[in-house]
Amino acid sequence: MARGHTTQRLNKSCILLTAIAGIERFAFKGVASNLVTYLTDVMKLSNSSAAKMVNTWCGLTFLMPLLVAPIADAYYHKYSTITASSFLYLVGLAALTSTAVVRSRHEGNKRIPFSFLSSSLCLISLGQGGYNPSLQAFGADQLDDDEELPYSKEDNKPNKKTVFFQCWYFGVCSGSLLGIIVISYIQDTFGWVLGFAIPAMSMALSMLVFSCGSPIYVYKDSESKTKKPLNSIVQSIKAYALKGFRSKITLPQEESEVKELELHEKPLCCENMENVTEMNENSKSNTVMVANFKVVLRLIPIWTMLLMFAVIFQQPATFFTKQGMAMKRNIGQNFKIPPATLQSAITLSIILLMPLYDRIFIPMAQLIARQDKGISVTQRMGIGMALSVVAMVIAAMVEVKRLEIGREMRKAGSKSETVDLSILWLIPQYVFLGISDIFTVVGMQEFFYSEVPENMRTLGIALYTSVFGVGSFVSAILISVVEVLTSSKGKPSWLSDDMNEARLDNYYWLLATLTAVSLFLYILLCKYYRNSQQG
């Protein structure tokens, strides 16, 4: 991306891996974007139950990399992890397709398809746990070592890895856009069997493309993988035990005693030189492990403040979609807009506006702030969080308008749950979420990748994805709490199945308030957070 300089170009392997990531997003979004509709219309779950199930699955999907990535970093090469994980991913998508097949043939039997559904979703989560962070870290490995993040103040050349993350995200959003638009339309028009089969075939295609690109990849797996961390831990325990057993030996003060001790120790050292070397290596390894743990620990407060941003990003696939189902969706006489396709407004706004970030926003920020980068990564994430609050305020205002029109229609004698308000009124809230995504999500990728040691880069990417994982669980818990607190005295809860009785506007105001509080605390934390560049 040009900043008044020559644009950095990515190599062929980076471009190929970016395309593979786009195919994977096409498959995932084709399933995730409309899953709430499948659960409510086909599996007959309530709105809140379907939303909680989607949130829980998304939470498991995004949190799984945090559990799998350390094992992949320690024991396996990224290439092997990607291959094995993509196979599990494909099996999960194939099993999900089978649930739709069984459901279509045995409409009265709910138990078997539902159990298949849960199992297939878990397989998809497990596959993604190793696939996504390893693929992105493997893509970043294709670049030269001298292109580490961030570039120095003296170097005005645009950083290649910053360009890589933005291009990577552009490719991911392109795949997501196609998945949301194409697959959602197929699911609503031609059925769920075809709607789930196409993502499975897409994942199989990505596996084939990835294997074909093997000759051009750059492999940078650390030599530390040859020494298993579990063996190192055992050796460390053994070394400390030996050290404790010999702790009674004291250094003598008299010269004669020193010579006598030397005579005894010389053969001892020769016999156990290998053990002493291992003890020194284990000591260094333990020091590195402690240092790495401290680095991750420093990131936890900022990681925590990003959770509400992740909660907001669960709304398009759940309550935004249900909100759209209760609005006027007709275009002409024969075409109805599938509510899930409006999620494409998020990815479309990212694709269209992301180039403007470097070409317009950054030069303006450079002039105002008089800094080479314009804004820091933490400032970039904070701006995105503020925009997500604006998105929820807009969503609440649109919902207030929808409820007002619904009340007027009921007074006029209408019993329809669909109000005479176009679904296109929801587009602004999606667009603002897309703009906030450009700032926060890309900033999170760069932040967590650059703030961890080189041998923990996959874990760094997993920390970024885990924000959305834990945020999804927080969203599910928040739904349960809101249901309990707002359904007392016989009144319907804010999240009622009857969209004319539900008060999604209050729920949106609550999310906006909680995110604003998180943003305030985030700003305070950033003032005290010392970036590793300045360390």
Side-chain angles (χ1 to χ4, degrees):
M1 303 294 176
R3 294 177 189 163
H5 308 280
T6 304
T7 302
Q8 294 277 6
R9 292 185 177 180
L10 300 178
N11 55 38
K12 293 180 180 180
S13 56
C14 281
I15 296 173
L16 180 62
L17 291 171
T18 300
I20 292 171
I23 297 174
E24 183 276 330
R25 284 293 92 182
F26 172 83
F28 179 76
K29 283 296 183 179
V31 173
S33 62
N34 210 19
L35 184 60
V36 69
T37 304
Y38 182 69
L39 294 176
T40 54
D41 292 358
V42 179
M43 304 304 295
K44 305 303 180 182
L45 297 181
S46 65
N47 288 347
S48 59
S49 297
K52 284 188 286 187
M53 184 171 182
V54 172
N55 286 334
T56 301
W57 173 62
C58 289
L60 181 63
T61 301
F62 286 114
L63 193 59
M64 193 63 72
L66 192 61
L67 304 177
V68 177
I71 300 175
D73 271 339
Y75 289 94
Y76 303 103
H77 297 283
K78 296 183 182 71
Y79 184 92
S80 302
T81 303
I82 295 168
T83 303
S85 299
S86 60
F87 176 75
L88 289 177
Y89 202 150
L90 177 60
V91 171
L93 289 171
L96 179 63
T97 305
S98 71
T99 67
V101 173
V102 174
R103 183 67 184 177
S104 64
R105 293 182 179 180
H106 307 282
E107 295 184 1
N109 191 344
K110 299 180 181 180
R111 183 177 300 175
I112 295 178
F114 193 81
S115 63
F116 284 157
L117 176 65
S118 301
S119 301
S120 63
L121 293 177
C122 288
L123 278 174
I124 293 173
S125 299
L126 182 60
Q128 272 207 348
Y131 186 87
N132 278 347
S134 297
L135 186 66
Q136 189 167 11
F138 189 60
D141 285 347
Q142 306 305 303
L143 303 175
D144 297 333
D145 291 331
D146 58 356
E147 292 291 348
E148 293 296 328
L149 282 170
Y151 58 82
S152 63
K153 291 183 179 179
E154 292 78 12
D155 185 11
N156 293 324
K157 184 175 65 175
N159 185 269
K160 188 177 289 187
K161 279 190 176 174
T162 300
V163 175
F164 165 75
F165 281 118
Q166 292 182 349
C167 290
W168 182 276
Y169 201 61
F170 183 86
V172 164
C173 289
S174 299
S176 299
L177 177 64
L178 289 175
I180 292 169
I181 294 177
V182 175
I183 302 302
S184 296
Y185 177 77
I186 290 174
Q187 288 167 347
D188 285 4
T189 307
F190 300 102
W192 294 96
V193 175
L194 184 61
F196 287 151
I198 292 177
M201 291 185 288
S202 300
M203 193 62 203
L205 175 63
S206 72
M207 293 174 63
L208 178 62
V209 174
F210 178 75
S211 62
C212 291
S214 300
I216 65 172
Y217 296 147
V218 176
Y219 301 90
K220 292 184 179 179
D221 289 293
S222 173
E223 293 180 358
S224 63
K225 287 187 176 62
T226 59
K227 295 182 178 180
K228 305 298 184 182
L230 185 60
N231 293 340
S232 298
I233 293 173
V234 173
Q235 292 296 329
S236 297
I237 295 174
K238 180 180 177 181
Y240 279 117
L242 291 173
K243 184 178 179 180
F245 179 75
R246 297 166 181 170
S247 61
K248 293 183 179 181
I249 298 178
T250 58
L251 292 177
Q253 300 297 325
E254 297 182 9
E255 185 177 354
S256 61
E257 292 181 359
V258 171
K259 291 181 179 179
E260 183 179 354
L261 183 59
E262 286 179 352
L263 291 174
H264 285 288
E265 284 192 341
K266 281 183 180 179
L268 181 65
C269 290
C270 292
E271 292 174 2
N272 297 281
M273 184 62 68
E274 184 178 351
N275 290 337
V276 173
T277 303
E278 289 181 1
M279 289 176 65
N280 292 334
E281 290 180 354
N282 290 332
S283 179
K284 292 179 181 179
S285 176
N286 292 333
T287 302
V288 171
M289 289 175 63
V290 171
N292 291 347
F293 177 75
K294 288 181 178 179
V295 169
V296 174
L297 194 62
R298 288 174 57 213
L299 300 177
I300 295 301
I302 290 180
W303 180 91
T304 304
M305 292 304 105
L306 292 167
L307 290 178
M308 280 309 303
F309 175 82
V311 170
I312 285 180
F313 258 81
Q314 296 305 312
Q315 307 315 306
T318 53
F319 291 116
F320 281 13
T321 299
K322 298 304 295 183
Q323 190 179 8
M325 292 180 70
M327 301 174 73
K328 186 178 179 181
R329 298 186 283 137
N330 294 74
I331 294 182
Q333 296 181 349
N334 300 321
F335 183 76
K336 276 190 175 183
I337 300 175
T341 59
L342 284 191
Q343 296 174 48
S344 63
I346 296 177
T347 51
L348 188 60
S349 62
I350 293 171
I351 293 172
L352 295 177
L353 299 178
M354 184 177 285
L356 302 181
Y357 176 85
D358 277 320
R359 298 183 180 181
I360 297 178
F361 180 81
I362 289 298
M364 291 176 59
Q366 288 173 337
L367 290 174
I368 296 173
R370 297 181 180 180
Q371 297 178 1
D372 292 334
K373 293 191 71 173
I375 59 174
S376 66
V377 176
T378 52
Q379 289 172 337
R380 179 173 184 167
M381 293 189 292
I383 293 173
M385 292 176 68
L387 290 172
S388 70
V389 175
V390 175
M392 294 313 300
V393 171
I394 295 174
M397 294 172 65
V398 172
E399 180 63 10
V400 168
K401 183 67 175 178
R402 189 191 70 82
L403 290 174
E404 288 178 357
I405 295 176
R407 283 192 290 267
E408 292 175 0
M409 289 177 61
R410 288 197 300 275
K411 287 180 181 179
S414 175
K415 296 182 180 180
S416 174
E417 187 175 301
T418 302
V419 301
D420 191 16
L421 180 67
S422 175
I423 193 175
L424 299 180
W425 277 88
L426 298 179
I427 289 181
Q429 63 203 54
Y430 284 98
V431 171
F432 267 90
L433 281 182
I435 300 173
S436 71
D437 204 290
I438 295 174
F439 284 88
T440 302
V441 176
V442 177
M444 286 167 61
Q445 290 178 351
E446 182 174 340
F447 178 77
F448 287 109
Y449 182 88
S450 62
E451 293 298 314
V452 298
E454 185 177 357
N455 64 337
M456 297 174 62
R457 290 290 165 79
T458 304
L459 179 60
I461 299 298
L463 279 173
Y464 143 68
T465 59
S466 68
V467 171
F468 295 93
V470 177
S472 299
F473 286 115
V474 171
S475 180
I477 294 171
L478 190 60
I479 290 172
S480 298
V481 172
V482 168
E483 276 193 305
V484 172
L485 296 180
T486 61
S487 60
S488 60
K489 299 179 181 179
K491 294 182 180 179
S493 73
W494 289 356
L495 310 176
S496 172
D497 289 344
D498 187 346
M499 294 300 292
N500 289 326
E501 297 292 336
R503 293 302 305 268
L504 288 179
D505 56 328
N506 290 341
Y507 182 65
Y508 293 159
W509 286 119
L510 175 64
L511 293 182
T513 302
L514 293 176
T515 307
V517 172
S518 295
L519 175 60
F520 175 74
L521 295 176
Y522 171 84
I523 294 173
L524 294 180
L525 284 171
C526 287
K527 289 184 178 180
Y528 296 98
Y529 179 80
R530 293 194 306 168
N531 196 290
S532 62
Q533 308 163 354
Q534 303 171 346

